[in-house]
Structure formats: C-alpha cells, structure tokens
Amino acid sequence: MTDLSFRAKNLPPMRRDGRIVNAMSVDVEDYFQAQALAGVVDRTDWDAQPSRVASNTHAILDLFADQGVKATFFTLSWIASRHIDLVRRIVGDGHELASHGSQHRRADVQSPEAFRRDVGGAKRRLEDIGGVEVLGYRAPIFSIGAANLWAFDVLAEEGYAYSSSVYPVRHDYYGMPSAPRFAFLPRSDCGIEEYPITTVPLLGRNLPAGGGGFFRLLPYALSRAAIARVNAADRQAAVFYIHPWEIDGDQPRFKRLPLKSRFRHYLNLNKTLDRLTRLAGDFCWDRMDRVFRPGVVC
C-alpha cells in the first residue's frame, strides 16, 4: 500500500528569489555496463574493457564546481572499489554519495535474499570507501515496480532512508506508470521514501522528463520546458539523472549491437555535456537528501 498523503508534506526547498530547488543526480557506471550493451559485453569481461568512468565523472564534477551545483552520485560499489580516489572526490566536493547497488544487476531479476546481499554489501562498501553514511539507493534500470515492492522492505531493513528507483512511465526496459509522479511512501508500514524520476502528464500518459536517454535524444528545449512546468504548475522539485558515459562521444563502439540499442546508446553523445551545462545554469540544483529530506535549508 502506498501513502499518497506524503506528497503534501514534502514541499520543495526554494531559493530566496522564489525558484524551486531541483534534485540533480548521477548514476556512476561505466559505458560497458549500460543496459543497451548487455547483449554484447558479458559481466565476466568488464575488467578487460578500457574504463572511462573516472575521466567522465571528473568532467561532470568540474562542470558542477564551475556552476555551483551539488548532486547525488548513485555509485556502483564495483566502480567505487576500482576508483577510490573518484569516490573521495565526490565526497570531498560536497556531493552526496549514494548506492546504485553492487554490480548493476536489475532488482526485479533477483530473489529477496540476493537483493539483500547486493544492496547491503554495496552500502557497506561505499561507506567504507567514502567515510560517510549512505542513505539513498537507485535500482539499476529503475527496476523496482509493482511486481517487486518487497524491495523497499529490504532497503529499509538494510538501513537506507530513501530510494529513487521508480520511473512512472511505460518503457520496454522499465516503468511503473501507475506510481505517483512525486515523492511517496511505497510501503506505508516500512517508512522508506521514494523519489521518482520526473515526468509530465500529456493525454493521459506520463512523458519522461528527468534525463537519461530522453535528454540526449530530444531537443534540449523540451527538457527545459518540462522541468519548468513541474516547478511552475506542480510546485514540485524535479529529479534529473545522467550517466557519465552519456557525455563521452569518444567511447569504444560495439558494432554487433542491434540498431535500436545502437541508436539509444550512441546518439548525441557529443552534445550532452553542453546540454548539461545549460541545464545546470537554467535551474537551481542540489543533492537529493537536501532537496527531499525535511528541515534542510538550501
């Protein structure tokens, strides 16, 4: 059972000029771990691939430092163990360190016991490396939905305070279109909070507006208009996400990809950093814990 009354209590922070503060997030994973490449890169071959996640994430960190943006970095513990200095820079720069699980395994293909080992182990490893408490979790490929709501119970039991794992859209990889568009309690008896990725309603359907592939594939003006609408019409904070590999037009190319996957993964990679720079300047942004946790002044 979900608690929809939570939304009314979760008013977003605002700047002194009246602008709503939105939540910026980065899903820290390497290009070869993306869902579109799952059919051509086996997990057992990950260590053999040339890693580009550190340089790409440092570029995003540089951009955020220039723009005065703080963000939440949902990080795979697999990445953190191999790039300890990167994790320490994330924390040292004042960003929130959060969990993306251990090895980018979908939550909806794991048993409750395997999921517990995944998220519990990732939390402990990230905390050990980063030296800070990890409160947030985002499921790889937004893979918590109506069929595995038990995952929220496990997250709460493992010490997480919130999740950002639901995308209220219809999509062939993920989606829970029946979910609330804004913050809610997915399990009223366990207390963990869910902050879904931002959407805008149109003709009875929710359209994606929170980043990822849609940010790359569609004109920037559409993303800007969608976030502005959520701020102005809904009076809610937007949740935006991006992957480090999405700013990397020079990443290795895999030629055996199906056309659909090739289109999704490679289109407009060279334009994304410029778009992210514009987005950082067009809106107010902060870490997810400060945007959504009560009592924090931005």
Side-chain angles (χ1 to χ4, degrees):
M1 178 182 296
T2 60
D3 182 358
L4 305 187
S5 66
F6 176 67
R7 173 185 168 185
K9 297 181 288 186
N10 205 66
L11 301 177
M14 300 175 69
R15 299 293 190 201
R16 291 179 180 176
D17 61 5
R19 292 193 297 165
I20 285 176
V21 180
N22 301 291
M24 175 65 72
S25 64
V26 182
D27 291 359
V28 184
E29 60 193 61
D30 223 325
Y31 66 96
F32 51 80
Q33 296 167 320
Q35 177 66 26
L37 305 185
V40 296
V41 184
D42 193 87
R43 292 176 183 277
T44 59
D45 295 328
W46 280 1
D47 275 317
Q49 304 301 320
S51 179
R52 300 175 68 86
V53 68
S55 60
N56 291 330
T57 307
H58 280 301
I60 292 175
L61 286 163
D62 290 343
L63 186 162
F64 288 169
D66 289 343
Q67 297 281 345
V69 170
K70 299 301 181 187
T72 294
F73 286 73
F74 292 98
T75 305
L76 291 175
S77 65
W78 189 96
I79 293 290
S81 295
R82 289 159 176 78
H83 300 281
I84 291 174
D85 288 345
L86 175 63
V87 173
R88 291 178 177 165
R89 182 186 174 187
I90 289 170
V91 174
D93 281 6
H95 302 287
E96 181 190 11
L97 180 64
S99 171
H100 201 32
S102 297
Q103 294 193 1
H104 210 248
R105 295 188 185 278
R106 295 182 63 107
D108 55 3
V109 300
Q110 299 184 67
S111 68
E113 295 76 16
F115 183 70
R116 183 182 301 279
R117 291 193 296 272
D118 184 298
V119 300
K123 186 177 190 295
R124 290 186 292 273
R125 183 61 176 146
L126 290 167
E127 290 176 341
D128 180 58
I129 294 171
V132 293
E133 186 177 13
V134 169
L135 298 177
Y137 170 78
R138 175 170 289 156
I141 315 118
F142 305 108
S143 52
I144 296 181
N148 63 333
L149 292 177
W150 53 260
F152 291 112
D153 299 325
V154 174
L155 290 172
E157 291 162 4
E158 290 300 314
Y160 289 94
Y162 76 86
S163 163
S164 182
S165 302
V166 171
Y167 211 152
V169 296
R170 297 186 186 278
H171 191 280
D172 54 347
Y173 284 166
Y174 54 75
M176 186 178 173
S178 62
R181 291 176 53 228
F182 301 111
F184 65 98
L185 296 177
R187 306 279 273 184
S188 58
D189 57 347
C190 81
I192 194 166
E193 301 161 7
E194 169 62 32
Y195 309 135
I197 304 300
T198 292
T199 60
V200 292
L202 181 66
L203 301 177
R205 296 188 65 174
N206 291 335
L207 302 183
F214 301 99
F215 184 65
R216 288 186 291 110
L217 305 181
L218 301 176
Y220 171 73
L222 293 180
S223 290
R224 188 186 189 284
I227 293 172
R229 174 179 169 181
V230 168
N231 288 171
D234 296 303
R235 302 304 296 166
Q236 293 287 328
V239 177
F240 182 88
Y241 78 101
I242 195 165
H243 302 91
W245 58 261
E246 291 186 277
I247 68 167
D248 183 9
D250 296 326
Q251 65 187 260
R253 304 286 175 125
F254 294 88
K255 297 181 179 179
R256 294 181 291 116
L257 279 177
L259 180 61
K260 185 177 182 181
S261 296
R262 190 181 310 129
F263 176 80
R264 281 177 167 173
H265 189 82
Y266 294 123
L267 187 67
N268 289 337
L269 293 177
N270 287 321
K271 297 180 179 180
T272 310
L273 188 60
D274 287 342
R275 291 183 179 184
L276 184 61
T277 303
R278 293 176 64 186
L279 188 77
D282 284 343
F283 298 93
C284 297
W285 301 98
D286 206 344
R287 304 159 35 141
M288 294 198 64
D289 58 346
R290 292 205 290 242
V291 169
F292 292 110
R293 306 294 290 172
V296 177
V297 177
C298 295

